[in-house]
Amino acid sequence: MDWKETEYAGWGRALRAKGTVARPDTRRALGALEPAPAFGMRRSYGDAALNSHGRAVDMSGLDRLIAFDPDTAELHAEAGARIGDIASAFAPRGWLPAVMPGTGFATLGGCIGQDVHGKNHHHMGSFGQHVTEITLLQKTREITVTPGSALFKATLGGLGQTGTILRAKIRLIPCKGDVMVVTERRAPDWDSHLALLDASTASYTVGWIDATATGDSLGRGIIEEGESAAGIVKPRKGARKVPFNAPHFALAAPVVRAFNWAYYHRVPAHGRSLVRPLQDFFFPLDKIHDWNKLYGQRGFHQFQCVVPLEQADTLREMLVEIAASGLASPLAVLKRMGPGRAGYLSFPMEGYTLAIDFPNRPAARALIQRLEARAAAAGGRLYFAKDSLAQGAQIAAMYPELPDWQTEVAKADPAGALETDMTRRLKLRSAT
Amino acid sequence: MNSSWIILGATSGIARAVIRKLAAQGHGMFLAGRNMAELEAIAADCRLRGARMAEVMAFDARDHSNYGDLIARLRDEEGELNCAVFTGSMPEQEAIDTDPSMIEGVLADSLTGPATFLTMLAPLMEERGCGAIAGVGSVAGDRGRLGNYVYGAAKSGFATYLSGLRNRLGRSGVHVMTIKPGPVDTPMTYGMELPLMTTPDAVADDILNGLHRKTNVLYTRKIWRLVMGIIRVIPEPIFKKMSI
């Protein structure tokens, strides 16, 4: 059977779709299907992967690695290949994807469609800057896209609207081995947190932020810096699973405050260095399968914005509001980004990015919308991989190259066969 | 020591999950099946994921004429040989009822093809005194049922064959494991509503664990041992009136 009636959701599980989904396992099986939007492991939080009342193609079965050339460091793979699998296979041989997002379950196609970034964005830029070739399927025609073309820019971060991503070549970077030397330091407040991020010279840098801390402790957190290394550490055990939806009080304010206090204080005041398996550093949450169930049946939203460097105070004001709301979860990340981006709709800009999860409740939705307005006013941007609540008009103002993208998409998919819940909600293809 | 796995039916959904894990462990891979282009793609994937080497082999369960050549190639490969069998076909029982000549093909895919190959491979493995064979039967082989009894008969025959092979090869240090999966979420079953479904990845984990522990008969998911235990003891006078 090619198509299956099913209900499916984005990673946040707050937005869902009922529709028909196909899951081809070969190029030939894919070719037999009518054009429909494609998705990978559905790790985008909102509705980027959803097509309500329509068709969608699950690409996770098309995940073969095709070839690797050590001279050019180019890896050729099918779109469904997972970044974490690539890292596991290649790190012992001294290679890593140049950019890796926060989950190893993200697929090559997904990383292209969202032009994702990683903990090394300040040095290496976005995922798309290391893509050297993409093969798209437009209706029945295969098209090869290379950097420099308008179609390439429309495909990177292009939410799959320029055609189904079949295969791609990415450049890997050398690494010393499959372990990471990680340095963790406390940042007792907002100013020191930013100062540590600004001063960091490490290859990989990210800040965990305690979004429940207030007053003098506002903005406190832990700066993690990492470098790849050779060595032997105990490999991580098999991932745990979350067997059922957690009750709503599992992430109630006092629980989160207590957790965050403990998480902050587990790092000694003078900091510490440790050696960790690569996967633990890059994909810490993958240790728990289905961790999204911790937010219960109703799911959750992630708010992520980036604001220009000089607008750091906007993030501080956001944190004041978030901390006062008592709605934040332990998952909150602060990072300094460089300017690197590859596509018309790529998220990154030079500045600071803040990402925080909130349970899906009316108060949290209202809070997120206020945060979005603040980001917009500061000349910042929201991230399509995370968004589930933004307004179309807001987005159009944040992405000045939207018309360029629309021109290419109109040529690539004139019938609108690849539209998703997200492109319809944000009127991405029609906004002016 | 060199270790190699021969995979019969290497393009099947369960086989692909097992192959990926074996490749990551560094084994040499011989991928056997009919779709050579697809096998080549899987072989390239194996090499990139860590396999010592990966070769493809043309294998048709319904045509035994080249099995001698395949065995000759394997004789040249030094070290431990292992073999996993994933061949099989499950046409609708109604289709078979209209065209009984299909029975031969079903029996060839699940029973006579792989049994012929394994019988030719067995002396080589006995000589080397190591390695394992894992063959996929089915819970459908545990009792003939209305819905798929020709498929069940083929799988049941294969399970009996493996039981005898285990009896024989165990004496020379070769382990034989019979795998009995319940419904697995593969392209073959996509879109069907089936009970106690599991994923190819979970089945692959169970298979590798079972091989490690030298399990004789592996049910995956485990619950199927209990379910089939119950179904097997239902007295025939009652069972023949049931449709499960």
Side-chain angles (χ1 to χ4, degrees):
Chain A
M1 216 183 302
D2 283 346
W3 298 96
K4 174 166 98 172
E5 280 288 330
T6 186
E7 186 178 336
Y8 58 108
W11 184 243
R13 305 205 310 152
L15 300 185
R16 295 169 171 275
K18 276 196 179 115
T20 50
V21 175
R23 196 187 59 198
D25 67 329
T26 59
R27 168 70 183 83
R28 211 171 126 183
L30 174 69
L33 304 170
E34 301 89 283
F39 63 71
M41 295 294 290
R42 278 183 283 125
R43 253 42 188 196
S44 287
Y45 287 61
D47 47 2
L50 310 184
N51 189 17
S52 297
H53 316 297
R55 297 183 161 191
V57 180
D58 177 345
M59 299 289 285
S60 61
L62 291 157
D63 63 346
R64 294 162 193 80
L65 307 185
I66 300 167
F68 177 65
D69 179 350
D71 293 332
T72 60
E74 268 182 338
L75 173 70
H76 195 196
E78 290 184 331
R82 301 178 196 177
I83 295 301
D85 287 353
I86 295 173
S88 304
F90 280 87
R93 289 178 259 168
W95 299 101
L96 268 186
V99 171
M100 295 195 284
T103 169
F105 290 110
T107 61
L108 179 54
C111 289
I112 291 171
Q114 297 283 8
D115 192 19
V116 299
H117 57 269
K119 297 178 172 54
N120 58 353
H121 186 267
H122 52 304
H123 295 303
M124 299 301 290
S126 71
F127 190 87
Q129 293 179 282
H130 308 274
V131 174
T132 56
E133 185 185 297
I134 302 169
T135 308
L136 291 175
L137 179 68
Q138 294 183 346
K139 281 194 172 169
T140 55
R141 208 158 52 104
E142 281 196 17
I143 294 179
T144 306
V145 194
T146 47
S149 70
L151 184 55
F152 187 86
K153 283 190 192 168
T155 302
L156 265 304
L159 304 168
Q161 300 300 298
T162 58
T164 302
I165 299 164
L166 292 175
R167 300 179 289 278
K169 288 183 184 167
I170 57 171
R171 216 177 296 111
L172 305 187
I173 53 170
C175 68
K176 292 191 184 119
D178 59 356
V179 302
M180 296 294 293
V181 176
V182 182
T183 305
E184 296 177 327
R185 279 180 291 172
R186 285 187 192 175
D189 56 39
W190 175 254
D191 288 337
S192 60
H193 204 145
L194 281 195
L196 283 172
L197 287 174
D198 291 344
S200 174
T201 54
S203 300
Y204 299 94
T205 310
V206 69
W208 168 80
I209 195 162
D210 177 358
T212 61
T214 52
D216 288 346
S217 301
L218 184 87
R220 78 171 172 194
I222 293 164
I223 304 284
E224 274 187 47
E225 298 180 312
E227 301 291 347
S228 76
I232 294 170
V233 282
K234 218 165 79 183
R236 76 153 80 180
K237 295 198 200 97
R240 285 162 198 248
K241 287 186 173 150
V242 180
F244 48 77
N245 286 311
H248 62 88
F249 54 79
L251 288 167
V255 179
V256 176
R257 264 200 303 278
F259 177 92
N260 282 5
W261 188 90
Y263 194 81
Y264 178 77
H265 287 92
R266 116 209 114 92
V267 173
H270 50 83
R272 65 176 179 182
S273 280
L274 32 130
V275 179
R276 281 203 193 139
L278 185 133
Q279 306 267 351
D280 283 12
F281 178 73
F282 286 105
F283 316 126
L285 291 168
D286 292 354
K287 275 194 280 194
I288 307 165
H289 271 182
D290 306 330
W291 62 262
N292 53 353
K293 287 188 189 161
L294 290 172
Y295 287 91
Q297 186 76 47
R298 287 178 292 187
F300 67 107
H301 298 280
Q302 184 173 102
F303 167 76
Q304 181 166 8
C305 72
V306 58
V307 297
L309 290 176
E310 66 277 11
Q311 289 289 339
D313 268 352
T314 303
L315 292 189
R316 193 178 184 283
E317 286 157 24
M318 286 183 187
L319 265 183
V320 173
E321 192 169 350
I322 293 164
S325 76
L327 290 164
S329 81
L331 292 172
V333 167
L334 184 64
K335 165 151 188 66
R336 181 169 173 158
M337 291 189 119
R341 61 204 295 271
Y344 295 131
L345 297 192
S346 293
F347 169 68
M349 68 161 70
E350 182 153 36
Y352 299 100
T353 178
L354 175 69
I356 306 191
D357 288 0
F358 296 98
N360 180 22
R361 285 185 221 150
R365 290 196 293 270
L367 170 63
I368 292 171
Q369 278 165 343
R370 290 197 300 278
L371 298 175
E372 287 170 349
R374 282 185 192 267
R381 261 188 216 129
L382 301 174
Y383 191 10
F384 292 118
K386 310 293 178 70
D387 174 62
S388 51
L389 293 165
Q391 316 287 324
Q394 245 174 359
I395 292 289
M398 291 172 174
Y399 288 90
E401 291 168 302
L402 184 63
D404 301 301
W405 180 78
Q406 287 171 333
T407 307
E408 286 304 311
V409 170
K411 279 191 274 181
D413 176 36
L418 303 178
E419 288 246 28
T420 60
D421 286 3
M422 170 168 266
T423 63
R424 281 187 292 265
R425 172 171 61 86
L426 298 173
K427 300 183 183 65
L428 287 179
R429 292 180 56 163
S430 53
T432 48
Chain B
M1 185 172 62
N2 258 0
S3 154
S4 309
W5 275 89
I6 304 122
I7 312 287
L8 302 187
T11 57
S12 95
I14 301 176
R16 276 189 59 193
V18 173
I19 289 167
R20 189 157 283 185
K21 288 176 198 283
L22 291 173
Q25 291 175 2
H27 298 277
M29 306 298 294
F30 292 92
L31 308 173
R34 281 174 303 168
N35 185 341
M36 298 313 281
E38 182 55 27
L39 290 174
E40 289 286 1
I42 300 174
D45 184 74
C46 282
R47 288 179 210 115
L48 291 169
R49 288 182 200 257
R52 178 172 60 79
M53 50 75 78
E55 273 180 36
V56 302
M57 289 181 153
F59 174 87
D60 186 342
R62 305 183 185 193
D63 174 3
H64 311 168
S65 57
N66 72 333
Y67 291 6
D69 301 341
L70 302 184
I71 302 290
R73 168 66 190 93
L74 296 172
R75 186 176 291 282
D76 288 343
E77 189 69 18
E78 284 174 20
E80 180 186 282
L81 293 176
N82 303 273
C83 183
V85 178
F86 297 98
T87 58
S89 58
M90 189 176 66
E92 296 281 333
Q93 183 64 43
E94 292 95 74
I96 297 174
D97 293 342
T98 353
D99 179 7
S101 70
M102 289 173 81
I103 292 175
E104 254 175 69
V106 174
L107 285 171
D109 292 342
S110 284
L111 173 58
T112 54
T116 304
F117 183 86
L118 290 177
T119 305
M120 293 169 75
L121 179 66
L124 194 52
M125 294 184 70
E126 273 173 328
E127 245 169 63
R128 301 196 183 181
C130 58
I133 290 172
V136 169
S138 167
V139 296
D142 280 7
R143 192 146 193 189
R145 292 180 302 112
L146 191 63
N148 58 4
Y149 59 91
V150 170
Y151 174 74
K155 287 295 186 189
S156 157
F158 189 51
T160 306
Y161 170 82
L162 288 174
S163 158
L165 193 66
R166 173 159 48 243
N167 205 313
R168 169 184 164 188
L169 295 183
R171 293 154 210 260
S172 19
V174 178
H175 180 63
V176 177
M177 180 169 83
T178 311
I179 307 158
K180 296 192 178 179
V184 184
D185 184 15
T186 63
M188 187 169 91
T189 57
Y190 188 72
M192 297 183 194
E193 290 287 333
L194 297 166
L196 301 172
M197 193 93 138
T198 184
T199 63
D201 207 49
V203 170
D205 280 337
D206 282 357
I207 291 174
L208 295 192
N209 274 332
L211 285 167
H212 185 67
R213 294 185 192 161
K214 296 201 186 299
T215 304
N216 294 313
V217 179
L218 175 81
Y219 282 86
T220 169
R221 302 161 61 180
K222 283 194 184 65
I223 181 80
W224 282 103
R225 183 180 288 279
L226 179 69
V227 173
M228 294 319 294
I230 294 166
I231 290 179
R232 266 204 308 266
V233 298
I234 301 172
E236 199 64 22
I238 300 171
F239 189 77
K240 72 178 183 187
K241 293 182 185 137
M242 297 169 69
S243 17
I244 50 171

